[in-house]
Short mmCIF file of all heavy atoms in Angstrom, two decimals:
data_model
loop_
_atom_site.label_atom_id
_atom_site.label_comp_id
_atom_site.label_asym_id
_atom_site.label_seq_id
_atom_site.Cartn_x
_atom_site.Cartn_y
_atom_site.Cartn_z
N SER F 943 -4.32 11.59 -12.78
CA SER F 943 -5.18 12.72 -12.40
C SER F 943 -6.65 12.31 -12.37
O SER F 943 -7.38 12.62 -11.42
CB SER F 943 -4.97 13.88 -13.37
OG SER F 943 -5.85 14.94 -13.09
N LEU F 944 -7.08 11.60 -13.41
CA LEU F 944 -8.48 11.15 -13.46
C LEU F 944 -8.77 10.14 -12.36
O LEU F 944 -9.84 10.15 -11.75
CB LEU F 944 -8.79 10.54 -14.82
CG LEU F 944 -8.82 11.52 -16.00
CD1 LEU F 944 -8.93 10.76 -17.32
CD2 LEU F 944 -9.99 12.50 -15.85
N ASN F 945 -7.81 9.26 -12.09
CA ASN F 945 -8.00 8.26 -11.04
C ASN F 945 -8.09 8.92 -9.67
O ASN F 945 -8.92 8.55 -8.84
CB ASN F 945 -6.86 7.24 -11.08
CG ASN F 945 -7.10 6.07 -10.15
OD1 ASN F 945 -8.08 5.35 -10.28
ND2 ASN F 945 -6.20 5.87 -9.20
N ASP F 946 -7.24 9.91 -9.44
CA ASP F 946 -7.26 10.63 -8.16
C ASP F 946 -8.59 11.33 -7.93
O ASP F 946 -9.01 11.54 -6.79
CB ASP F 946 -6.12 11.64 -8.09
CG ASP F 946 -4.76 10.98 -7.90
OD1 ASP F 946 -4.71 9.79 -7.51
OD2 ASP F 946 -3.73 11.65 -8.15
N LYS F 947 -9.25 11.70 -9.04
CA LYS F 947 -10.56 12.37 -8.94
C LYS F 947 -11.72 11.37 -9.01
O LYS F 947 -12.88 11.77 -9.10
CB LYS F 947 -10.70 13.40 -10.07
CG LYS F 947 -9.69 14.52 -9.99
CD LYS F 947 -9.76 15.38 -11.25
CE LYS F 947 -8.67 16.43 -11.27
NZ LYS F 947 -8.62 17.17 -12.56
N ASN F 948 -11.39 10.07 -9.01
CA ASN F 948 -12.41 9.00 -9.10
C ASN F 948 -13.26 9.13 -10.35
O ASN F 948 -14.47 8.93 -10.32
CB ASN F 948 -13.30 9.00 -7.84
CG ASN F 948 -12.51 8.82 -6.57
OD1 ASN F 948 -11.49 8.14 -6.55
ND2 ASN F 948 -12.97 9.44 -5.49
N GLN F 949 -12.60 9.43 -11.47
CA GLN F 949 -13.34 9.62 -12.72
C GLN F 949 -13.09 8.51 -13.74
O GLN F 949 -13.41 8.66 -14.91
CB GLN F 949 -12.95 10.98 -13.33
CG GLN F 949 -13.42 12.16 -12.50
CD GLN F 949 -13.03 13.50 -13.09
OE1 GLN F 949 -12.28 13.59 -14.06
NE2 GLN F 949 -13.53 14.57 -12.49
N LEU F 950 -12.54 7.39 -13.28
CA LEU F 950 -12.36 6.23 -14.16
C LEU F 950 -13.30 5.12 -13.68
O LEU F 950 -13.04 4.48 -12.66
CB LEU F 950 -10.90 5.74 -14.12
CG LEU F 950 -9.84 6.73 -14.60
CD1 LEU F 950 -8.45 6.13 -14.44
CD2 LEU F 950 -10.08 7.14 -16.05
N PRO F 951 -14.39 4.88 -14.39
CA PRO F 951 -15.38 3.91 -13.91
C PRO F 951 -14.93 2.46 -14.02
O PRO F 951 -15.38 1.62 -13.24
CB PRO F 951 -16.60 4.18 -14.81
CG PRO F 951 -16.04 4.82 -16.03
CD PRO F 951 -14.84 5.59 -15.60
N PHE F 952 -14.06 2.14 -14.98
CA PHE F 952 -13.63 0.75 -15.20
C PHE F 952 -12.18 0.82 -15.67
O PHE F 952 -11.90 1.32 -16.75
CB PHE F 952 -14.53 0.10 -16.25
CG PHE F 952 -14.22 -1.35 -16.54
CD1 PHE F 952 -13.95 -2.25 -15.52
CD2 PHE F 952 -14.21 -1.81 -17.84
CE1 PHE F 952 -13.68 -3.58 -15.79
CE2 PHE F 952 -13.94 -3.14 -18.13
CZ PHE F 952 -13.67 -4.03 -17.10
N PHE F 953 -11.25 0.33 -14.84
CA PHE F 953 -9.84 0.59 -15.14
C PHE F 953 -8.94 -0.51 -14.59
O PHE F 953 -9.32 -1.27 -13.70
CB PHE F 953 -9.43 1.94 -14.55
CG PHE F 953 -9.59 2.06 -13.05
CD1 PHE F 953 -8.51 1.83 -12.21
CD2 PHE F 953 -10.81 2.41 -12.49
CE1 PHE F 953 -8.64 1.94 -10.84
CE2 PHE F 953 -10.96 2.53 -11.12
CZ PHE F 953 -9.86 2.29 -10.28
N HIS F 954 -7.75 -0.56 -15.17
CA HIS F 954 -6.69 -1.44 -14.68
C HIS F 954 -5.73 -0.60 -13.86
O HIS F 954 -5.30 0.47 -14.29
CB HIS F 954 -5.95 -2.07 -15.87
CG HIS F 954 -4.76 -2.89 -15.45
ND1 HIS F 954 -3.58 -2.34 -14.98
CD2 HIS F 954 -4.56 -4.23 -15.44
CE1 HIS F 954 -2.72 -3.30 -14.70
NE2 HIS F 954 -3.28 -4.45 -14.97
N MET F 955 -5.40 -1.09 -12.67
CA MET F 955 -4.45 -0.37 -11.82
C MET F 955 -3.60 -1.37 -11.06
O MET F 955 -4.10 -2.40 -10.62
CB MET F 955 -5.19 0.55 -10.83
CG MET F 955 -4.27 1.26 -9.85
SD MET F 955 -3.07 2.37 -10.62
CE MET F 955 -4.04 3.87 -10.73
N ARG F 956 -2.32 -1.06 -10.94
CA ARG F 956 -1.43 -1.87 -10.11
C ARG F 956 -1.11 -1.11 -8.83
O ARG F 956 -1.16 0.11 -8.79
CB ARG F 956 -0.13 -2.18 -10.86
CG ARG F 956 -0.35 -3.04 -12.07
CD ARG F 956 0.93 -3.59 -12.66
NE ARG F 956 1.81 -2.57 -13.19
CZ ARG F 956 2.72 -2.81 -14.12
NH1 ARG F 956 2.87 -4.01 -14.62
NH2 ARG F 956 3.50 -1.84 -14.56
N TRP F 957 -0.81 -1.87 -7.78
CA TRP F 957 -0.48 -1.24 -6.51
C TRP F 957 0.82 -1.83 -6.00
O TRP F 957 0.97 -3.04 -5.89
CB TRP F 957 -1.59 -1.47 -5.50
CG TRP F 957 -1.31 -0.92 -4.14
CD1 TRP F 957 -1.04 -1.63 -2.99
CD2 TRP F 957 -1.28 0.46 -3.76
NE1 TRP F 957 -0.84 -0.78 -1.94
CE2 TRP F 957 -0.97 0.51 -2.38
CE3 TRP F 957 -1.47 1.64 -4.47
CZ2 TRP F 957 -0.86 1.71 -1.69
CZ3 TRP F 957 -1.35 2.85 -3.78
CH2 TRP F 957 -1.05 2.88 -2.41
N GLY F 958 1.77 -0.97 -5.67
CA GLY F 958 3.02 -1.38 -5.04
C GLY F 958 3.03 -0.89 -3.61
O GLY F 958 2.77 0.29 -3.35
N ALA F 959 3.32 -1.78 -2.70
CA ALA F 959 3.23 -1.44 -1.28
C ALA F 959 4.23 -0.36 -0.88
O ALA F 959 5.37 -0.35 -1.35
CB ALA F 959 3.48 -2.69 -0.43
N ASP F 960 3.80 0.54 -0.02
CA ASP F 960 4.70 1.51 0.60
C ASP F 960 5.39 0.88 1.80
O ASP F 960 6.50 1.24 2.16
CB ASP F 960 3.93 2.75 1.04
CG ASP F 960 3.25 3.45 -0.14
OD1 ASP F 960 3.98 3.87 -1.05
OD2 ASP F 960 2.02 3.53 -0.15
N TYR F 961 4.68 -0.04 2.45
CA TYR F 961 5.24 -0.79 3.59
C TYR F 961 4.50 -2.13 3.63
O TYR F 961 3.35 -2.24 3.20
CB TYR F 961 5.10 -0.02 4.91
CG TYR F 961 3.73 0.57 5.15
CD1 TYR F 961 2.76 -0.10 5.88
CD2 TYR F 961 3.41 1.83 4.63
CE1 TYR F 961 1.51 0.44 6.09
CE2 TYR F 961 2.16 2.39 4.83
CZ TYR F 961 1.21 1.70 5.57
OH TYR F 961 -0.03 2.23 5.77
N LEU F 962 5.18 -3.15 4.14
CA LEU F 962 4.67 -4.52 4.04
C LEU F 962 3.75 -4.85 5.21
O LEU F 962 4.12 -5.58 6.14
CB LEU F 962 5.85 -5.50 3.97
CG LEU F 962 6.76 -5.31 2.75
CD1 LEU F 962 7.93 -6.26 2.82
CD2 LEU F 962 5.98 -5.50 1.46
N ASP F 963 2.56 -4.31 5.14
CA ASP F 963 1.57 -4.54 6.19
C ASP F 963 0.19 -4.56 5.55
O ASP F 963 -0.05 -3.84 4.57
CB ASP F 963 1.65 -3.42 7.24
CG ASP F 963 0.81 -3.73 8.46
OD1 ASP F 963 1.33 -4.39 9.38
OD2 ASP F 963 -0.38 -3.33 8.50
N PRO F 964 -0.74 -5.37 6.08
CA PRO F 964 -2.09 -5.41 5.51
C PRO F 964 -2.78 -4.06 5.44
O PRO F 964 -3.59 -3.81 4.55
CB PRO F 964 -2.85 -6.35 6.47
CG PRO F 964 -1.80 -7.19 7.10
CD PRO F 964 -0.58 -6.32 7.20
N GLU F 965 -2.43 -3.17 6.37
CA GLU F 965 -3.04 -1.84 6.35
C GLU F 965 -2.82 -1.15 5.02
O GLU F 965 -3.71 -0.46 4.50
CB GLU F 965 -2.47 -0.98 7.48
CG GLU F 965 -3.07 0.42 7.52
CD GLU F 965 -2.33 1.37 8.43
OE1 GLU F 965 -1.15 1.10 8.74
OE2 GLU F 965 -2.92 2.39 8.81
N ASN F 966 -1.63 -1.34 4.42
CA ASN F 966 -1.29 -0.64 3.19
C ASN F 966 -2.03 -1.20 1.98
O ASN F 966 -2.02 -0.60 0.91
CB ASN F 966 0.22 -0.69 2.95
CG ASN F 966 0.69 0.32 1.93
OD1 ASN F 966 1.44 -0.01 1.03
ND2 ASN F 966 0.24 1.56 2.05
N PHE F 967 -2.69 -2.32 2.14
CA PHE F 967 -3.50 -2.89 1.07
C PHE F 967 -4.99 -2.76 1.39
O PHE F 967 -5.73 -2.16 0.62
CB PHE F 967 -3.13 -4.37 0.87
CG PHE F 967 -1.75 -4.58 0.32
CD1 PHE F 967 -0.67 -4.64 1.17
CD2 PHE F 967 -1.54 -4.67 -1.04
CE1 PHE F 967 0.61 -4.82 0.67
CE2 PHE F 967 -0.27 -4.86 -1.56
CZ PHE F 967 0.81 -4.92 -0.70
N LEU F 968 -5.41 -3.30 2.51
CA LEU F 968 -6.85 -3.32 2.82
C LEU F 968 -7.37 -1.95 3.24
O LEU F 968 -8.32 -1.44 2.64
CB LEU F 968 -7.11 -4.37 3.91
CG LEU F 968 -6.79 -5.80 3.49
CD1 LEU F 968 -6.80 -6.74 4.69
CD2 LEU F 968 -7.77 -6.28 2.43
N SER F 969 -6.75 -1.35 4.23
CA SER F 969 -7.25 -0.06 4.72
C SER F 969 -7.00 1.06 3.72
O SER F 969 -7.90 1.86 3.42
CB SER F 969 -6.58 0.28 6.06
OG SER F 969 -6.76 -0.76 6.99
N THR F 970 -5.79 1.12 3.19
CA THR F 970 -5.44 2.21 2.26
C THR F 970 -6.25 2.15 0.97
O THR F 970 -6.70 3.18 0.47
CB THR F 970 -3.94 2.15 1.94
OG1 THR F 970 -3.20 2.34 3.15
CG2 THR F 970 -3.55 3.24 0.95
N LEU F 971 -6.43 0.95 0.43
CA LEU F 971 -7.09 0.81 -0.87
C LEU F 971 -8.60 0.71 -0.80
O LEU F 971 -9.29 1.05 -1.76
CB LEU F 971 -6.55 -0.43 -1.60
CG LEU F 971 -5.10 -0.42 -2.04
CD1 LEU F 971 -4.75 -1.75 -2.70
CD2 LEU F 971 -4.83 0.73 -3.00
N LEU F 972 -9.14 0.22 0.34
CA LEU F 972 -10.55 -0.16 0.31
C LEU F 972 -11.40 0.34 1.48
O LEU F 972 -12.63 0.28 1.40
CB LEU F 972 -10.66 -1.69 0.23
CG LEU F 972 -10.20 -2.27 -1.11
CD1 LEU F 972 -9.87 -3.75 -0.99
CD2 LEU F 972 -11.26 -2.04 -2.17
N ALA F 973 -10.79 0.81 2.54
CA ALA F 973 -11.60 1.38 3.62
C ALA F 973 -12.15 2.74 3.18
O ALA F 973 -11.54 3.44 2.36
CB ALA F 973 -10.76 1.54 4.89
N SER F 974 -13.29 3.12 3.74
CA SER F 974 -13.88 4.41 3.38
C SER F 974 -12.92 5.56 3.69
O SER F 974 -12.94 6.58 3.01
CB SER F 974 -15.19 4.62 4.15
OG SER F 974 -16.14 3.65 3.80
N TYR F 975 -12.09 5.37 4.71
CA TYR F 975 -11.13 6.41 5.09
C TYR F 975 -9.79 6.25 4.37
O TYR F 975 -8.87 7.03 4.60
CB TYR F 975 -10.92 6.39 6.61
CG TYR F 975 -10.46 5.06 7.16
CD1 TYR F 975 -9.12 4.71 7.18
CD2 TYR F 975 -11.39 4.15 7.67
CE1 TYR F 975 -8.69 3.49 7.69
CE2 TYR F 975 -10.97 2.93 8.18
CZ TYR F 975 -9.63 2.60 8.20
OH TYR F 975 -9.22 1.38 8.69
N GLY F 976 -9.68 5.26 3.50
CA GLY F 976 -8.42 5.00 2.81
C GLY F 976 -8.10 6.05 1.76
O GLY F 976 -8.96 6.41 0.94
N ALA F 977 -6.87 6.51 1.76
CA ALA F 977 -6.46 7.58 0.84
C ALA F 977 -6.49 7.15 -0.62
O ALA F 977 -6.59 7.99 -1.51
CB ALA F 977 -5.06 8.06 1.20
N GLU F 978 -6.40 5.84 -0.89
CA GLU F 978 -6.36 5.36 -2.28
C GLU F 978 -7.61 4.56 -2.65
O GLU F 978 -7.58 3.76 -3.58
CB GLU F 978 -5.11 4.50 -2.49
CG GLU F 978 -3.80 5.24 -2.31
CD GLU F 978 -3.58 6.30 -3.37
OE1 GLU F 978 -4.08 6.14 -4.51
OE2 GLU F 978 -2.89 7.30 -3.08
N ASN F 979 -8.70 4.79 -1.96
CA ASN F 979 -9.95 4.07 -2.25
C ASN F 979 -10.66 4.72 -3.45
O ASN F 979 -11.69 5.36 -3.33
CB ASN F 979 -10.86 4.07 -1.02
CG ASN F 979 -12.16 3.30 -1.24
OD1 ASN F 979 -12.36 2.67 -2.28
ND2 ASN F 979 -13.05 3.35 -0.26
N HIS F 980 -10.10 4.52 -4.64
CA HIS F 980 -10.64 5.15 -5.84
C HIS F 980 -11.75 4.33 -6.49
O HIS F 980 -12.33 4.78 -7.48
CB HIS F 980 -9.51 5.42 -6.84
CG HIS F 980 -8.50 6.38 -6.31
ND1 HIS F 980 -8.82 7.65 -5.92
CD2 HIS F 980 -7.16 6.23 -6.06
CE1 HIS F 980 -7.73 8.27 -5.46
NE2 HIS F 980 -6.72 7.42 -5.54
N VAL F 981 -12.05 3.15 -5.95
CA VAL F 981 -13.24 2.42 -6.41
C VAL F 981 -14.45 2.82 -5.58
O VAL F 981 -15.56 2.38 -5.83
CB VAL F 981 -13.03 0.88 -6.35
CG1 VAL F 981 -11.98 0.45 -7.36
CG2 VAL F 981 -12.66 0.43 -4.94
N GLN F 982 -14.21 3.69 -4.58
CA GLN F 982 -15.27 4.26 -3.73
C GLN F 982 -16.09 3.18 -3.04
O GLN F 982 -17.31 3.27 -2.92
CB GLN F 982 -16.15 5.21 -4.55
CG GLN F 982 -15.35 6.35 -5.18
CD GLN F 982 -16.21 7.29 -5.99
OE1 GLN F 982 -16.97 8.06 -5.43
NE2 GLN F 982 -16.09 7.22 -7.31
N TYR F 983 -15.38 2.15 -2.58
CA TYR F 983 -16.02 1.08 -1.81
C TYR F 983 -16.38 1.60 -0.43
O TYR F 983 -15.59 2.30 0.20
CB TYR F 983 -15.05 -0.10 -1.70
CG TYR F 983 -15.51 -1.25 -0.84
CD1 TYR F 983 -16.63 -2.00 -1.18
CD2 TYR F 983 -14.80 -1.59 0.31
CE1 TYR F 983 -17.03 -3.07 -0.40
CE2 TYR F 983 -15.19 -2.66 1.09
CZ TYR F 983 -16.31 -3.40 0.73
OH TYR F 983 -16.71 -4.46 1.52
#
């Protein structure tokens, strides 16, 4: 819940792919439009 609200400033997180494509790692995790960009890059 805190991670989804971007309220963890320094944290350990693992990511398991939903599908085996770079989009699910680079775009999803780190693009401004990525749904899981919780580091707010």
Side-chain angles (χ1 to χ4, degrees):
S943 175
L944 291 171
N945 188 59
D946 287 344
K947 297 172 186 173
N948 302 327
Q949 293 179 352
L950 298 178
F952 182 44
F953 60 96
H954 175 287
M955 176 62 87
R956 295 192 295 204
W957 177 251
D960 300 299
Y961 47 94
L962 299 176
D963 190 87
E965 180 192 20
N966 196 228
F967 292 86
L968 296 169
S969 305
T970 298
L971 294 178
L972 291 160
S974 297
Y975 57 85
E978 297 293 331
N979 182 5
H980 297 301
V981 293
Q982 302 180 73
Y983 175 64

